[in-house]
Amino acid sequence: MNILVTGGTGYIGSHTCIALLESGHSVIIADNLSNSKSESIKKIIDISKKEVTFFEIDVTDEEAVDHIFRNHEIDGVIHFAGLKAVGESVEKPLEYYYNNVVSTMVLTKACQTYGVNRFVFSSSATVYGDNTVPFVETMSLLPTTNPYGETKAMSERILTDFANVNPSFSVSLLRYFNPVGAHESGLIGESPNGIPNNLMPYVTQVAKGKLHNLRVFGNDYPTIDGTGIRDYIHVLDLAEGHVAALENQTEGVHVYNLGTGKGTSVLELVKAFEEANDIEVPFEIVDRRPGDIASCYAETSKAKRELGWSAKRDIVTMCRDAWRFEKNNME
Ligand code: NAD
Ligand code: UDP
């Protein structure tokens, strides 16, 4: 298939482009490089040994998106492009709603105009809010505590409403848990701008000596050691989940959790990282971070049953691959 990958130069998008190319699909990337670099393209080509087509465009720009659909035979869209910093979304709600919701509408409309019937959307476990773990696809969504989460819930709703009146349209809403790690080549990985918000890039930068010590946000949650529990998933497993979703798509709306089903606490992750890489990660316990929930992990049987996909890489592999990339990363 010929797949339009929006946000394809970003963290999850670049790994997914490689997985698509390795599975024999062709890739057209559309990215405005607001949170990634064009060097990603070269790295995707180096790793996969395949060509890709790249458009530096904003996917909220209807005209620019239309131009791609008009000039290329597109079989499906994977929509990664979006702003993703939870804290920033509270500061800049309009930017987040505009970027993340309008992009979904523009792409859906282009699919309608050009008869493209496959759509895969990057959603997030954040749409479950503070439900009881493990999160199951059939749960009612709860309000999230920030505009970022709301943009994901709104995009899911827009795609669902569109699919309901367009029976030949297939949409997969993929709810990611916590993607970490990097490609085993060490060439691509997560390279956030500024001080990382997320745990794993913070840990790798502390290990590298770039940051002083990790601040563990709270040790009084009702969890095994008091620190927050999350379902960390290797980005390559996540990438393969997209290929499985695309290749097994049937008409209608399908929601899948992409996680491992296993919860890991902050302190467990730190220990796993130290042991996997034989390096120390100094940390201090500080107050809880506002908006955080105690536990978040997936119920994963639906993706296994319907897509034949499940995550294979363990926490040690995630820690090793994240560290290999960080050591190579000169930024
Ligand atoms: P990323 O920032 O590395 O990649 C997103 C890419 O989209 C970037 O390359 C950016 O330049 C591009 N982009 C943003 N707005 C754009 C626009 N209007 N037009 C064109 N390009 C645009 O982020 P990521 O971690 O790879 O996340 C990919 C998707 O997965 C996002 O939608 C994110 O919300 C979602 N997601 C991520 C996580 C996570 O923890 N990383 C978890 C759940 C969901
Ligand atoms: N966390 C932490 N210190 C950090 C960053 C994160 O203790 O510097 C904790 C956070 O409170 C949560 C877990 O690590 O329990 C995962 O946080 P992250 O921001 O990576 O993901 P999310 O909150 O989106 O699940």
Side-chain angles (χ1 to χ4, degrees):
M1 287 184 274
N2 207 13
I3 307 301
L4 175 64
V5 182
T6 76
T9 47
Y11 173 47
I12 306 170
S14 57
H15 288 84
T16 303
C17 286
I18 291 166
L20 286 166
L21 293 163
E22 286 176 345
S23 302
H25 302 291
S26 306
V27 162
I28 298 168
I29 295 177
D31 199 300
N32 65 2
L33 303 180
S34 59
N35 197 37
S36 55
K37 301 210 167 59
S38 59
E39 288 88 83
S40 257
I41 304 288
K42 190 181 170 304
K43 291 176 184 170
I44 293 169
I45 293 171
D46 282 353
I47 294 169
S48 67
K49 314 260 181 302
K50 305 261 174 65
E51 284 308 314
V52 301
T53 307
F54 174 55
F55 289 95
E56 186 179 342
I57 62 150
D58 194 304
V59 291
T60 61
D61 179 343
E62 242 179 287
E63 191 45 51
V65 168
D66 190 82
H67 181 265
I68 298 179
F69 277 79
R70 200 179 328 126
N71 293 298
H72 295 268
E73 201 58 50
I74 291 170
D75 300 302
V77 175
I78 307 184
H79 181 29
F80 290 105
L83 300 174
K84 62 163 184 176
V86 172
E88 187 185 56
S89 79
V90 176
E91 307 295 322
K92 301 176 178 170
L94 292 186
E95 230 172 87
Y96 271 69
Y97 284 114
Y98 189 85
N99 195 71
N100 293 4
V101 178
V102 173
S103 60
T104 302
M105 287 175 45
V106 166
L107 289 160
T108 310
K109 192 170 162 205
C111 285
Q112 181 181 37
T113 307
Y114 292 93
V116 175
N117 282 328
R118 288 171 186 267
F119 201 104
V120 175
F121 177 65
S122 292
S123 190
S124 165
T126 192
V127 298
Y128 289 111
D130 201 1
N131 260 299
T132 309
V133 283
F135 296 160
V136 192
E137 289 89 342
T138 47
M139 279 175 165
S140 302
L141 303 189
L142 294 180
T144 65
T145 49
N146 56 79
Y148 166 73
E150 294 306 304
T151 68
K152 293 296 173 191
M154 283 180 189
S155 290
E156 285 200 5
R157 183 64 199 269
I158 290 165
L159 287 161
T160 302
D161 288 346
F162 178 74
N164 286 341
V165 290
N166 290 277
S168 52
F169 194 61
S170 313
V171 58
S172 307
L173 306 174
L174 304 184
R175 295 181 181 155
Y176 311 159
F177 283 69
N178 289 57
V180 296
H183 191 266
E184 60 262 7
S185 63
L187 287 176
I188 56 169
E190 192 174 14
S191 184
N193 292 330
I195 296 177
N197 293 307
N198 294 114
L199 180 62
M200 185 65 97
Y202 207 106
V203 165
T204 59
Q205 293 195 17
V206 169
K208 202 178 188 181
K210 221 172 145 181
L211 293 170
H212 186 52
N213 61 359
L214 173 70
R215 290 174 310 141
V216 175
F217 298 137
N219 67 348
D220 56 354
Y221 286 107
T223 62
I224 173 178
D225 55 19
T227 65
I229 301 266
R230 295 293 182 271
D231 184 341
Y232 298 96
I233 173 169
H234 197 296
V235 67
L236 288 176
D237 278 321
L238 194 62
E240 289 162 11
H242 287 73
V243 179
L246 196 70
E247 290 181 348
N248 291 285
Q249 228 168 13
T250 54
E251 288 161 4
V253 183
H254 304 280
V255 184
Y256 297 104
N257 286 340
L258 298 187
T260 64
K262 195 176 172 305
T264 303
S265 76
V266 177
L267 294 182
E268 284 174 334
L269 185 131
V270 170
K271 188 157 179 273
F273 187 92
E274 291 184 326
E275 286 176 5
N277 298 310
D278 197 18
I279 191 161
E280 238 185 284
V281 179
F283 67 86
E284 58 176 326
I285 309 286
V286 300
D287 286 347
R288 290 181 179 194
R289 181 171 65 178
D292 273 357
I293 59 174
S295 286
C296 169
Y297 56 90
E299 207 289 322
T300 57
S301 58
K302 188 177 176 199
K304 186 162 192 185
R305 197 171 57 245
E306 294 188 9
L307 306 178
W309 171 90
S310 55
K312 295 183 187 63
R313 295 160 179 90
D314 62 11
I315 198 83
V316 173
T317 309
M318 299 181 215
C319 291
R320 281 201 187 125
D321 291 346
W323 180 228
R324 186 182 307 110
F325 172 72
E326 184 67 60
K327 279 189 294 184
N328 288 345
N329 188 10
M330 292 308 168
E331 284 166 29

